[in-house]
């Protein structure tokens, strides 16, 4: 980036109200820029992408402020930056090597995974409903279990890093993640209406009893 | 023999472990063996994987929400840390930095998320302000790089190159230490500027109190208005005019009777195309004036006008020559 000034050169808006909003946004940007750039730098380990994302977020919010009232510019900037950061994060991790994962997925995968081409309208609708249902299931998880799961699965942190973030022990982290996995699996199974899967917990109980009988 | 573990419990544990990135080669073998043991095991894994492939589609949104939450927390902490800076004892500062603090009552300070240092850097001609975890602020001047690593006992910053102004939050239990190749600067809470260029480190204290530890030994105490220069000649005290030393914060450079050679070396830090003097004899010409550090062309015009010189611009450099040469 060759732009030498710290903020983009701002012009005028559409009338005095718009101008006032723009100035307010600029003031917030000045206030939070060190913090936002600092957080982004830590997240990505380097500063160039951090500044790019910050500038991109400011530009979006600033443009939005031209014509729309913004209750909380800081919150909107954080939201925009968080979205951009999440996209970039996933893009960077997309090509991580996976180990033996392919063997089990190949064996028993009944659900479609990521479609290679554009899906048909029916598939797209199904995928959208599925996506919403997943979001809902995740939102319904208990707080710490949800955060531990998201930090592990999507931010790809180690148990130790998650333990620090959540102020819990590493063994708690594992418990939270397992709790989340089971809960999400049960939600998914209920959606599927798959009889054999719904029976699975029951089968568990029965097999446990059988085990006890045999051992005793 | 071994107790029979419920396939579902075991599967959940394996999935969690695979996800954590902490599977060693031995564990992978153990996992493969467990998979081979029974169809129930394989089915259990398959159910989790099919659920996860759906959930992964929601990953971007979930991660975005998590990041948003982290930013808000970061902001709350920074505000709290700033408010408590000069008046509260360190325990209160630590407490207000919330989040990762364990409420055990023992001496514990928030650890950085990563164990390796965080590097902040600025491009040529750019200024970057960064908020540090303890409420301090570091402002980087042109073409500078800092590596920051805070721990329980020390707030460490290494200037890898360039110049930065530090506004340090007070924390008597954790000294803030800035290291350059020529020495260290140690403070508990203050405002000071450090310039670390090739062969020389210069420290200017704006407010508060600073201890400088040159690499070859000894220590120098500085208060507001005082400065020190570390180079191959040794350690020398300086005074400074804040208007000149910190003009960079306003994107300006001010010089008073400064040799042209040094002025040009300084200006060149801010621009990609270097200015070069054709004749070494020009280096001693004294420069007094103010320059806009975002505008190289005007600076060149000012210098050539003041000393009746000429300039010739090419792709690699701007050459300054005596007038009527060629």
């Amino acid at each position: 980036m060759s732009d030498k000034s710290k903020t983009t050169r701002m012009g005028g808006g559409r009338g005095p109200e718009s101008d006032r909003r723009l100035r307010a946004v600029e003031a917030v940007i000045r206030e939070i820029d060190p913090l936002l750039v600092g957080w982004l730098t830590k997240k990505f380990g380097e500063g160039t992408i951090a500044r790019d994302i910050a500038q991109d977020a400011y530009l979006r919010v600033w443009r939005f402020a031209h014509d729309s009232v913004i209750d909380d510019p800081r919150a909107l900037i954080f939201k925009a930056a968080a979205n951009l950061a999440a996209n970039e994060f996933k893009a960077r991790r997309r090509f991580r090597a996976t180990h033996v994962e392919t063997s089990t997925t190949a064996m028993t995968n009944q659900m479609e995974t990521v479609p290679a081409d554009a899906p048909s309208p029916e598939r797209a609708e199904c995928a959208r409903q599925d996506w919403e249902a997943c979001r809902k299931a995740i939102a319904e998880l208990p707080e710490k279990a949800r955060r531990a799961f998201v930090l592990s699965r999507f931010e790809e942190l180690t148990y130790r890093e998650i333990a620090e973030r959540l102020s819990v022990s590493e063994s708690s982290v594992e418990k939270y993640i397992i709790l989340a996995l089971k809960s999400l699996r049960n939600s998914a199974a209920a959606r599927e209406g798959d009889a054999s899967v719904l029976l699975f917990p029951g089968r568990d109980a029965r097999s446990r009893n059988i085990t006890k009988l045999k051992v005793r | 023999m071994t107790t029979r573990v419920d396939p579902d419990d075991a599967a959940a544990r394996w999935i969690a472990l695979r996800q954590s990135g902490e599977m060693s080669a031995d564990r992978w073998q153990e996992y493969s063996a467990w998979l081979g043991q029974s169809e129930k095991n394989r089915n259990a894994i398959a159910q989790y994987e099919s659920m996860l492939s759906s959930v992964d589609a929601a990953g971007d949104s979930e991660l975005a929400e998590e990041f948003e939450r982290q930013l808000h927390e970061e902001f709350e902490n920074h505000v709290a840390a700033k408010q408590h800076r000069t008046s509260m004892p360190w325990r209160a500062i630590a407490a207000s930095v919330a989040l990762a603090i364990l409420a055990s009552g023992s001496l514990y300070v928030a650890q950085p998320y990563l164990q390796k240092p965080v590097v902040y850097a600025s491009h040529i001609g750019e200024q970057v302000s960064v908020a540090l975890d303890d409420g301090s602020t570091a402002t980087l001047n042109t073409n500078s790089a800092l590596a920051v690593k805070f721990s329980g006992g020390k707030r460490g910053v290494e200037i890898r190159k360039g110049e930065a102004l530090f506004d340090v939050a007070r924390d008597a239990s954790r000294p803030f230490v800035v290291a350059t190749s020529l020495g260290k600067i140690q403070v508990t809470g203050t405002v000071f500027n450090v310039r670390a260029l090739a062969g020389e480190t210069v420290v200017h204290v704006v407010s508060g109190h600073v201890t400088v530890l040159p690499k070859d030994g000894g220590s120098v105490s500085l208060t507001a208005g005082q400065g020190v220069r570390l180079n191959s000649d040794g350690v020398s005290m300086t005074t400074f005019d804040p208007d000149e030393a910190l003009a960079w914060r306003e994107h300006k450079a001010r010089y008073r009777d400064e040799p042209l050679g040094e002025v040009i070396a300084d200006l060149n830090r801010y621009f990609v195309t270097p200015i070069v003097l054709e004749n070494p004899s020009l280096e001693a010409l004294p420069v007094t004036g103010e320059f806009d550090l975002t505008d190289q062309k005007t600076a060149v015009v000012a210098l050539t006008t003041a000393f009746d010189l000429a300039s010739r611009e090419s792709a690699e450099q701007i050459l300054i020559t005596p007038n009527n040469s060629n």
Side-chain angles (χ1 to χ4, degrees):
Chain A
M1 289 179 68
S2 59
D3 191 277
K4 287 175 187 175
S5 57
K6 199 159 132 340
T7 53
T8 50
R9 287 180 189 85
M10 310 277 192
R14 312 192 210 291
E17 263 311 297
S18 177
D19 283 347
R20 203 185 47 75
R21 282 198 301 269
L22 294 178
R23 298 299 95 89
V25 168
E26 286 162 27
V28 169
I29 289 174
R30 273 193 293 276
E31 186 200 355
I32 62 153
D33 185 59
L35 184 129
L36 181 58
V37 172
W39 181 86
L40 286 164
T41 304
K42 271 195 286 210
K43 200 57 71 181
F44 291 101
E46 53 99 358
T48 306
I49 187 65
R51 269 193 300 284
D52 283 349
I53 289 177
Q55 289 292 319
D56 202 343
Y58 300 151
L59 205 56
R60 286 170 191 227
V61 173
W62 189 74
R63 280 192 190 131
F64 188 71
H66 266 93
D67 301 313
S68 314
V69 174
I70 303 179
D71 285 329
D72 189 344
R74 184 177 70 240
L76 198 58
I77 290 171
F78 282 172
K79 188 183 273 293
N83 272 290
L84 291 164
N87 287 343
E88 180 64 31
F89 203 85
K90 286 231 124 183
R92 286 180 175 219
R93 300 281 181 139
R94 199 154 290 155
F95 300 108
R96 252 172 51 132
T98 49
H99 253 283
V100 186
E101 315 229 342
T102 44
S103 67
T104 45
T105 33
M107 266 198 279
T108 45
N109 200 350
Q110 285 159 13
M111 286 243 329
E112 60 176 342
T113 49
V114 182
D117 306 306
S120 67
E122 295 79 18
R123 266 209 193 164
E125 175 56 25
C126 180
R128 189 188 64 79
Q129 284 177 359
D130 200 43
W131 182 88
E132 281 175 5
C134 281
R135 291 271 283 154
K136 183 159 175 286
I138 295 172
E140 282 168 2
L141 291 171
E143 171 83 4
K144 291 217 163 161
R146 181 175 53 78
R147 287 201 74 195
F149 175 75
V150 169
L151 292 173
S152 170
R153 184 98 193 148
F154 302 126
E155 201 176 331
E156 301 188 15
L157 299 185
T158 61
Y159 284 174
R160 177 147 160 243
E161 287 166 334
I162 298 174
E164 278 175 22
R165 289 273 184 104
L166 301 180
S167 310
V168 299
S169 66
E170 283 184 46
S171 58
S172 295
V173 170
E174 192 187 30
K175 291 197 178 78
Y176 284 134
I177 291 175
I178 288 173
L179 181 84
L181 286 168
K182 290 191 170 186
S183 175
L184 291 173
R185 194 274 319 271
N186 291 343
S187 306
R191 280 199 307 280
E192 286 281 294
D194 183 339
S196 65
V197 174
L198 282 173
L199 280 176
F200 201 73
R203 239 198 295 162
D204 261 350
R206 265 183 283 136
S207 64
R208 270 197 288 270
N209 289 334
I210 291 169
T211 307
K212 278 183 191 163
L213 283 170
K214 279 191 180 167
V215 167
R216 301 268 190 276
Chain B
M1 235 202 70
T2 51
T3 54
R4 244 174 264 180
V5 183
D6 176 55
D8 188 59
D9 282 344
R13 188 157 273 114
W14 280 120
I15 293 278
L17 195 59
R18 274 167 43 184
Q19 198 168 282
S20 73
E22 285 168 23
M23 287 273 273
S24 63
D26 285 344
R27 294 318 291 272
W28 276 110
Q29 275 188 359
E30 209 183 307
Y31 174 54
S32 291
W34 175 85
L35 279 174
Q37 269 169 23
S38 83
E39 181 139 7
K40 282 184 197 157
N41 291 352
R42 292 192 290 277
N43 281 344
I45 289 286
Q47 282 180 20
Y48 281 112
E49 288 185 340
S50 111
M51 172 277 287
L52 285 171
S53 68
S54 292
V55 159
D56 277 352
D60 286 344
S61 313
E62 289 300 330
L63 194 59
E65 263 181 30
E66 168 65 28
F67 281 172
E68 208 180 328
R69 180 216 182 96
Q70 288 177 21
L71 278 168
H72 282 284
E73 274 174 353
E74 195 92 349
F75 181 78
E76 300 307 321
N77 293 343
H78 192 71
V79 166
K82 261 187 139 88
Q83 278 167 358
H84 289 117
R85 257 169 48 181
T86 52
S87 53
M88 301 284 281
W90 84 268
R91 259 183 193 263
I93 294 172
S96 68
V97 178
L99 254 216
I101 303 292
L102 298 175
S104 66
S106 57
L107 294 177
Y108 180 85
V109 180
Q111 296 288 335
Y113 300 157
L114 308 169
Q115 289 309 306
K116 49 190 193 315
V118 179
V119 177
Y120 303 96
S122 57
H123 294 311
I124 293 177
E126 186 184 36
Q127 265 185 48
V128 178
S129 258
V130 182
L132 305 179
D133 286 341
D134 64 338
S136 303
T137 307
T139 304
L140 284 73
N141 197 1
T142 177
N143 197 23
S144 304
L146 302 182
V148 178
K149 188 169 169 193
F150 286 3
S151 67
K154 178 173 129 174
R155 298 176 282 168
V157 175
E158 180 201 340
I159 300 190
R160 295 205 172 151
K161 63 171 177 174
E163 179 171 22
L165 177 74
F166 297 95
D167 184 349
V168 176
R170 189 160 307 173
D171 182 348
S173 72
R174 282 201 301 171
F176 191 96
V177 182
V178 177
T180 72
S181 58
L182 292 173
K184 291 185 191 177
I185 303 105
Q186 192 161 301
V187 302
T188 51
T190 187
V191 180
F192 64 104
N193 194 77
V194 184
R195 185 161 74 236
L197 304 175
E200 186 176 78
T201 289
V202 183
V203 182
H204 292 135
V205 180
V206 176
S207 74
H209 176 265
V210 148
T211 305
V212 178
L213 306 163
K215 74 169 170 38
D216 293 333
S219 83
V220 180
S221 284
L222 301 173
T223 58
Q226 295 184 322
V228 73
R229 191 180 296 269
L230 308 177
N231 54 28
S232 53
D233 295 333
V235 178
S236 51
M237 300 281 291
T238 72
T239 53
F240 66 98
D241 180 350
D243 279 345
E244 286 176 26
L246 298 178
W248 65 266
R249 294 276 293 118
E250 306 158 52
H251 298 280
K252 293 199 188 330
R254 297 186 183 104
Y255 306 104
R256 209 175 330 170
D257 288 327
E258 196 86 26
L260 181 59
E262 286 180 28
V263 168
I264 284 180
D266 193 40
L267 287 175
N268 281 344
R269 294 167 59 203
Y270 298 88
F271 305 109
V272 175
T273 312
I275 303 168
V276 176
L277 291 176
E278 191 182 55
N279 289 359
S281 62
L282 298 172
E283 279 171 15
L285 291 169
V287 178
T288 299
E290 180 180 293
F291 296 84
D292 179 351
L293 290 172
T294 62
D295 185 353
Q296 189 181 35
K297 282 192 161 41
T298 303
V300 170
V301 166
L303 289 171
T304 50
T305 307
F307 297 113
D308 191 27
L309 301 168
S311 71
R312 199 156 67 226
E313 187 167 343
S314 67
E316 303 86 39
Q317 64 182 26
I318 300 174
L319 188 65
I320 295 196
T321 66
N323 212 348
N324 303 322
S325 75
N326 242 58

